[in-house]
Amino acid sequence: MKNSLWKVFSKGIIEENPILVLALSLCPALAVTSGVDTGLTMGLTVMFVITANNVVVSLIRHLVNPKVRVAVYVTSIATIVTLAELTLEAFAPMLYKALGIYLALVVVFAIILARAEVFASKNKLFPSFLDGLGMGVGFTLAMVAISVIREILGNGTILGFQIFGEGYNAPLIMILPAGAFVLIGYMVGAVNLHLQRKERKMKERDA
Amino acid sequence: MSSQTSVQENIYSVSTSPHIKADDTVQKIMWRVIMALIPAAAFGVFYFGLSAFINIAVSIAAAVVSEYLVQKVRKVKVTITDGSAVITGLLLAMCLPPDLPYYMTALGSAFAIVVAKHSMGGLGFNIFNPAHIGRAALMVSWPVAMTTWRTTEISVDAVSTATPLSVLKLEGYDSLVELFGGKTELYKAMLLGTRSGSIGETCTVLLVLGGVYLMYKHIISWHIPVCMIGTVAIVTWIFGPEGLFTGDPIFHMMAGGLIIGAFFMATDMVTAPITKKGQIIFAVGAGLLVSLIRLKGGYPEGVCYSILLMNCVTPLIDRYVKPRIYGTGGGK
Amino acid sequence: MSDMHHEEKKYSIFQIAMNLTIACLISGVIISGVYYFTHPLAVKNAEMLLKQSMRELVADADDFKPVEGHENWYAAEKGGETVAYLVPGEAKGYGGAVKVMVAVSNDGDIIDFSVTKANETPGLGTKAFEDDFRSQYWGKSSDTLIVTKDPKNTENIQAITGATITSRAVTEAVKEAVDAVLEFTGGE
């Protein structure tokens, strides 16, 4: 039992990583990963929203009329995000300003709705919580990985600290969406390669 | 992906013409194109000096080396002798400023080969012209270095660090003519290449010669170059700086990367449409985009982006302009 | 399982609509509840941030008062007297509008400015928002606000290499603000 609960949590980290395997929510992966600070903040925000939403959806899953379930889930997501916005605006205005319009856009991130529909609406509370958390962790890890590469190569800094010194003539393509797209493409390829090799090894072992 | 496996399973074979292929035919074509480019490249080296030569060498070397490495890593046949990497390296270098730092050239060339060519499936499968992708990537990565031109002596008392098109964009047509000392001087400089610009773009006469040679050898047909250059001429003439029909088509036809782009890059058989009608549509579209960017856009020159944008549209053009099925249709 | 059970049930439009309506109602109640508590704090924070950004421009002012008749204008006061005006300006840049907030002294000289909104090329056009470029404007007046590429010209504003359009946009926006102040004070 414990083993399968762990699986529910951990699959979101690599095997079903939202950005690198499921290819969901690529928008934030392109738009806010030019610096590690924004990438990390967005990752944590999304983690909070997915987990909270999964919990809510799991709690109300028997009360929701299946004909309008998507609309209800979206309402739930929008409510959670709005609450996050209001709270940040009141208690952490600098963070709120830094996130800008991207905070409101969290509502439409595909991964949140996908987890609600695919998992939370059909599972109990604790597993749904773990699924959301796992997906959130996977998302954040991917966001941070992308941001680190983009910030180091495209700006010569990490979290604002100069790494390469003044003479570094950074290729600006890395802090622009075009470079992010190419980078994410190769990262998806690398993860796919790794998963394929793992599968092949398991098949050889079973044979 | 699936078309590749279908070809392997011999269910259904899809390829662009020519349909009878042998390795050395591809090679022959590639090397003929390189020969057609050499006069203009040589002029660039002659006019701009050592750094131009090193840039060309670095670009070609980086292209060949990256192709070798990628093919080794992917465990596929190494095809560096077919000349396609050399062409990409050469074409890219000819579109770069002569004093571009060498590491940038090398990285741009590697990007063109690794990302635009092999990551898209290799020779014959790429969607975009690799040399232009390399140039676009460099432009976006190091915009300052990519727009730093060689200072050339335009006339006895005028020196310029800007290309004619950038002078046109930032200061207007009259300043451009004044800088060169008159229209005839302007045209002469544009024709012979005695002005600032990229390594291989400037000498109109030699580029056209190379293009005509390729047409004579039936490697390219006249449709794309004529339609693309013609469209630019017509549109820039109509939408002139002082109202309708006051443009300078002669200047625009020779300026920037239009000649080299129209003859050597828009005609790339992999990224251009198959049918003649499709090619005309492609060329006119590219010409319109070039004119739009030159007249109204933020950049002084737009050949690189125009061709890339039309590359996107090529599959669509091919879909709607179907080649005549062999054996059917009207006689000739 | 319970899902299959639902499949057989036929829902009326009323049931479906009610379900969604209740969900929205609950959402509305929760949000308005939280808003009621957090909004006053949010407003205070916004004011504080604005004052902070204005203080960065005019460091020695006591207070900032809104100017009547002009939206988004503020007068910086010191010892009860207006020493400067903080005024918005706008111009078309490379990637859209460039908006600035300029601190102009009573004599029409620029104290400093900050860019409040822009969408220029990161790493290139964005250099126009940094100290190196901005310091050129300190102390200048409206008629010297012209962009030049001549490195020996220190009287006007030096463009950033490769970002002429952005440099021009920022200069135009700042000039708009300064001219507006001159008109307002009926000054020189």
Short mmCIF file of all heavy atoms in Angstrom, two decimals, chain B residues 50-84:
data_model
loop_
_atom_site.label_atom_id
_atom_site.label_comp_id
_atom_site.label_asym_id
_atom_site.label_seq_id
_atom_site.Cartn_x
_atom_site.Cartn_y
_atom_site.Cartn_z
N LEU B 50 41.66 39.61 -44.27
CA LEU B 50 41.94 38.36 -43.57
C LEU B 50 40.78 37.88 -42.71
O LEU B 50 40.45 36.70 -42.70
CB LEU B 50 43.20 38.54 -42.71
CG LEU B 50 43.68 37.25 -42.03
CD1 LEU B 50 44.09 36.24 -43.07
CD2 LEU B 50 44.86 37.55 -41.10
N SER B 51 40.15 38.80 -41.97
CA SER B 51 39.10 38.35 -41.05
C SER B 51 37.95 37.72 -41.81
O SER B 51 37.32 36.77 -41.32
CB SER B 51 38.60 39.51 -40.18
OG SER B 51 38.11 40.54 -40.98
N ALA B 52 37.70 38.21 -43.02
CA ALA B 52 36.63 37.61 -43.82
C ALA B 52 37.01 36.18 -44.18
O ALA B 52 36.19 35.26 -44.08
CB ALA B 52 36.41 38.42 -45.09
N PHE B 53 38.27 36.00 -44.57
CA PHE B 53 38.72 34.66 -44.94
C PHE B 53 38.63 33.71 -43.76
O PHE B 53 38.13 32.58 -43.87
CB PHE B 53 40.18 34.73 -45.44
CG PHE B 53 40.75 33.38 -45.76
CD1 PHE B 53 40.33 32.70 -46.89
CD2 PHE B 53 41.67 32.78 -44.92
CE1 PHE B 53 40.83 31.45 -47.18
CE2 PHE B 53 42.17 31.53 -45.20
CZ PHE B 53 41.76 30.86 -46.34
N ILE B 54 39.08 34.16 -42.59
CA ILE B 54 39.05 33.30 -41.41
C ILE B 54 37.61 32.96 -41.04
O ILE B 54 37.29 31.82 -40.70
CB ILE B 54 39.77 33.95 -40.22
CG1 ILE B 54 41.22 34.20 -40.58
CG2 ILE B 54 39.69 33.06 -38.99
CD1 ILE B 54 42.04 34.75 -39.42
N ASN B 55 36.73 33.94 -41.16
CA ASN B 55 35.33 33.67 -40.84
C ASN B 55 34.75 32.60 -41.75
O ASN B 55 34.01 31.72 -41.32
CB ASN B 55 34.49 34.94 -40.91
CG ASN B 55 34.25 35.54 -39.53
OD1 ASN B 55 34.10 34.81 -38.56
ND2 ASN B 55 34.21 36.84 -39.44
N ILE B 56 35.06 32.70 -43.04
CA ILE B 56 34.56 31.69 -43.97
C ILE B 56 35.11 30.32 -43.57
O ILE B 56 34.39 29.32 -43.50
CB ILE B 56 34.96 32.01 -45.42
CG1 ILE B 56 34.27 33.30 -45.87
CG2 ILE B 56 34.60 30.87 -46.35
CD1 ILE B 56 34.57 33.70 -47.30
N ALA B 57 36.43 30.28 -43.32
CA ALA B 57 37.06 29.01 -42.96
C ALA B 57 36.47 28.43 -41.68
O ALA B 57 36.13 27.25 -41.61
CB ALA B 57 38.57 29.21 -42.80
N VAL B 58 36.32 29.30 -40.67
CA VAL B 58 35.77 28.84 -39.38
C VAL B 58 34.36 28.31 -39.57
O VAL B 58 33.99 27.25 -39.04
CB VAL B 58 35.77 30.00 -38.36
CG1 VAL B 58 34.90 29.67 -37.17
CG2 VAL B 58 37.19 30.28 -37.90
N SER B 59 33.57 29.03 -40.35
CA SER B 59 32.18 28.61 -40.53
C SER B 59 32.10 27.25 -41.20
O SER B 59 31.35 26.37 -40.76
CB SER B 59 31.45 29.66 -41.38
OG SER B 59 30.11 29.32 -41.52
N ILE B 60 32.89 27.06 -42.26
CA ILE B 60 32.85 25.78 -42.96
C ILE B 60 33.36 24.66 -42.03
O ILE B 60 32.75 23.59 -41.93
CB ILE B 60 33.70 25.83 -44.24
CG1 ILE B 60 33.09 26.84 -45.22
CG2 ILE B 60 33.79 24.46 -44.89
CD1 ILE B 60 33.82 26.98 -46.52
N ALA B 61 34.48 24.94 -41.36
CA ALA B 61 35.05 23.93 -40.47
C ALA B 61 34.05 23.54 -39.38
O ALA B 61 33.83 22.36 -39.12
CB ALA B 61 36.34 24.46 -39.84
N ALA B 62 33.43 24.55 -38.75
CA ALA B 62 32.48 24.26 -37.67
C ALA B 62 31.32 23.45 -38.19
O ALA B 62 30.83 22.53 -37.52
CB ALA B 62 31.99 25.57 -37.04
N ALA B 63 30.86 23.77 -39.41
CA ALA B 63 29.73 23.03 -39.97
C ALA B 63 30.10 21.56 -40.18
O ALA B 63 29.37 20.66 -39.79
CB ALA B 63 29.29 23.66 -41.30
N VAL B 64 31.27 21.35 -40.80
CA VAL B 64 31.68 19.97 -41.09
C VAL B 64 31.92 19.19 -39.81
O VAL B 64 31.46 18.05 -39.66
CB VAL B 64 32.95 19.98 -41.97
CG1 VAL B 64 33.49 18.58 -42.12
CG2 VAL B 64 32.64 20.56 -43.34
N VAL B 65 32.61 19.81 -38.86
CA VAL B 65 32.91 19.11 -37.61
C VAL B 65 31.61 18.79 -36.85
O VAL B 65 31.43 17.68 -36.36
CB VAL B 65 33.85 19.96 -36.72
CG1 VAL B 65 33.89 19.41 -35.31
CG2 VAL B 65 35.24 19.99 -37.32
N SER B 66 30.68 19.76 -36.77
CA SER B 66 29.44 19.44 -36.04
C SER B 66 28.64 18.36 -36.73
O SER B 66 28.05 17.52 -36.07
CB SER B 66 28.54 20.66 -35.80
OG SER B 66 28.94 21.77 -36.48
N GLU B 67 28.65 18.37 -38.07
CA GLU B 67 27.91 17.31 -38.76
C GLU B 67 28.54 15.96 -38.45
O GLU B 67 27.83 14.98 -38.16
CB GLU B 67 27.91 17.55 -40.27
CG GLU B 67 27.23 16.45 -41.05
CD GLU B 67 26.65 16.92 -42.36
OE1 GLU B 67 25.63 17.62 -42.33
OE2 GLU B 67 27.23 16.59 -43.40
N TYR B 68 29.87 15.91 -38.49
CA TYR B 68 30.57 14.66 -38.18
C TYR B 68 30.20 14.17 -36.78
O TYR B 68 29.84 13.01 -36.59
CB TYR B 68 32.08 14.89 -38.29
CG TYR B 68 32.91 13.69 -37.97
CD1 TYR B 68 33.03 12.65 -38.90
CD2 TYR B 68 33.55 13.56 -36.75
CE1 TYR B 68 33.78 11.54 -38.61
CE2 TYR B 68 34.29 12.45 -36.45
CZ TYR B 68 34.42 11.43 -37.38
OH TYR B 68 35.16 10.33 -37.09
N LEU B 69 30.26 15.08 -35.80
CA LEU B 69 29.99 14.70 -34.42
C LEU B 69 28.55 14.22 -34.24
O LEU B 69 28.28 13.20 -33.62
CB LEU B 69 30.26 15.88 -33.47
CG LEU B 69 31.74 16.23 -33.31
CD1 LEU B 69 31.89 17.48 -32.46
CD2 LEU B 69 32.49 15.08 -32.65
N VAL B 70 27.61 14.98 -34.82
CA VAL B 70 26.20 14.60 -34.66
C VAL B 70 25.95 13.23 -35.26
O VAL B 70 25.27 12.38 -34.67
CB VAL B 70 25.28 15.65 -35.33
CG1 VAL B 70 23.87 15.12 -35.49
CG2 VAL B 70 25.24 16.90 -34.51
N GLN B 71 26.50 12.99 -36.46
CA GLN B 71 26.24 11.71 -37.11
C GLN B 71 26.89 10.57 -36.36
O GLN B 71 26.35 9.46 -36.30
CB GLN B 71 26.67 11.78 -38.57
CG GLN B 71 25.72 12.65 -39.37
CD GLN B 71 26.11 12.82 -40.81
OE1 GLN B 71 27.28 12.92 -41.13
NE2 GLN B 71 25.12 12.88 -41.67
N LYS B 72 28.06 10.84 -35.76
CA LYS B 72 28.71 9.81 -34.95
C LYS B 72 27.85 9.50 -33.72
O LYS B 72 27.64 8.34 -33.38
CB LYS B 72 30.09 10.30 -34.47
CG LYS B 72 31.19 9.98 -35.45
CD LYS B 72 31.58 8.51 -35.37
CE LYS B 72 32.77 8.17 -36.22
NZ LYS B 72 32.50 7.20 -37.25
N VAL B 73 27.35 10.55 -33.04
CA VAL B 73 26.57 10.34 -31.83
C VAL B 73 25.27 9.61 -32.14
O VAL B 73 24.81 8.75 -31.40
CB VAL B 73 26.28 11.70 -31.14
CG1 VAL B 73 25.17 11.57 -30.13
CG2 VAL B 73 27.53 12.23 -30.49
N ARG B 74 24.66 9.96 -33.28
CA ARG B 74 23.40 9.32 -33.64
C ARG B 74 23.61 7.94 -34.24
O ARG B 74 22.66 7.24 -34.54
CB ARG B 74 22.66 10.18 -34.67
CG ARG B 74 21.98 11.39 -34.09
CD ARG B 74 21.18 12.10 -35.16
NE ARG B 74 19.97 11.38 -35.49
CZ ARG B 74 19.29 11.53 -36.62
NH1 ARG B 74 19.73 12.38 -37.52
NH2 ARG B 74 18.20 10.85 -36.85
N LYS B 75 24.89 7.59 -34.44
CA LYS B 75 25.24 6.29 -35.02
C LYS B 75 24.62 6.12 -36.41
O LYS B 75 24.06 5.08 -36.74
CB LYS B 75 24.82 5.14 -34.10
CG LYS B 75 25.44 5.25 -32.71
CD LYS B 75 25.43 3.91 -32.00
CE LYS B 75 26.07 3.97 -30.63
NZ LYS B 75 25.24 4.59 -29.60
N VAL B 76 24.72 7.15 -37.23
CA VAL B 76 24.28 7.04 -38.61
C VAL B 76 25.48 7.29 -39.52
O VAL B 76 26.55 7.68 -39.08
CB VAL B 76 23.16 8.05 -38.96
CG1 VAL B 76 21.93 7.77 -38.14
CG2 VAL B 76 23.65 9.47 -38.76
N LYS B 77 25.25 7.10 -40.82
CA LYS B 77 26.33 7.22 -41.78
C LYS B 77 26.85 8.66 -41.82
O LYS B 77 26.07 9.60 -41.87
CB LYS B 77 25.80 6.82 -43.16
CG LYS B 77 26.78 6.94 -44.28
CD LYS B 77 26.31 6.13 -45.49
CE LYS B 77 27.15 6.46 -46.71
NZ LYS B 77 26.42 7.15 -47.75
N VAL B 78 28.18 8.79 -41.81
CA VAL B 78 28.76 10.13 -41.84
C VAL B 78 28.80 10.63 -43.29
O VAL B 78 29.38 10.01 -44.16
CB VAL B 78 30.20 10.11 -41.26
CG1 VAL B 78 30.84 11.46 -41.45
CG2 VAL B 78 30.15 9.76 -39.79
N THR B 79 28.15 11.77 -43.54
CA THR B 79 28.02 12.21 -44.94
C THR B 79 28.70 13.55 -45.19
O THR B 79 28.25 14.33 -46.00
CB THR B 79 26.53 12.37 -45.31
OG1 THR B 79 25.94 13.30 -44.39
CG2 THR B 79 25.81 11.06 -45.28
N ILE B 80 29.78 13.82 -44.46
CA ILE B 80 30.36 15.15 -44.62
C ILE B 80 30.93 15.39 -46.01
O ILE B 80 31.12 16.52 -46.41
CB ILE B 80 31.46 15.43 -43.56
CG1 ILE B 80 32.49 14.31 -43.57
CG2 ILE B 80 30.86 15.59 -42.20
CD1 ILE B 80 33.61 14.57 -42.56
N THR B 81 31.19 14.31 -46.79
CA THR B 81 31.77 14.55 -48.11
C THR B 81 30.72 14.90 -49.15
O THR B 81 31.05 15.16 -50.30
CB THR B 81 32.52 13.30 -48.59
OG1 THR B 81 31.66 12.18 -48.38
CG2 THR B 81 33.81 13.13 -47.85
N ASP B 82 29.44 14.90 -48.80
CA ASP B 82 28.46 15.23 -49.82
C ASP B 82 28.38 16.74 -50.07
O ASP B 82 27.69 17.18 -50.97
CB ASP B 82 27.07 14.66 -49.48
CG ASP B 82 26.43 15.37 -48.29
OD1 ASP B 82 27.02 16.30 -47.72
OD2 ASP B 82 25.31 14.98 -47.94
N GLY B 83 29.12 17.51 -49.28
CA GLY B 83 29.22 18.93 -49.58
C GLY B 83 28.12 19.79 -48.99
O GLY B 83 28.18 21.00 -49.04
N SER B 84 27.08 19.17 -48.41
CA SER B 84 25.96 20.00 -47.95
C SER B 84 26.35 20.82 -46.73
O SER B 84 25.93 21.96 -46.57
CB SER B 84 24.73 19.14 -47.66
OG SER B 84 25.06 18.12 -46.75
#
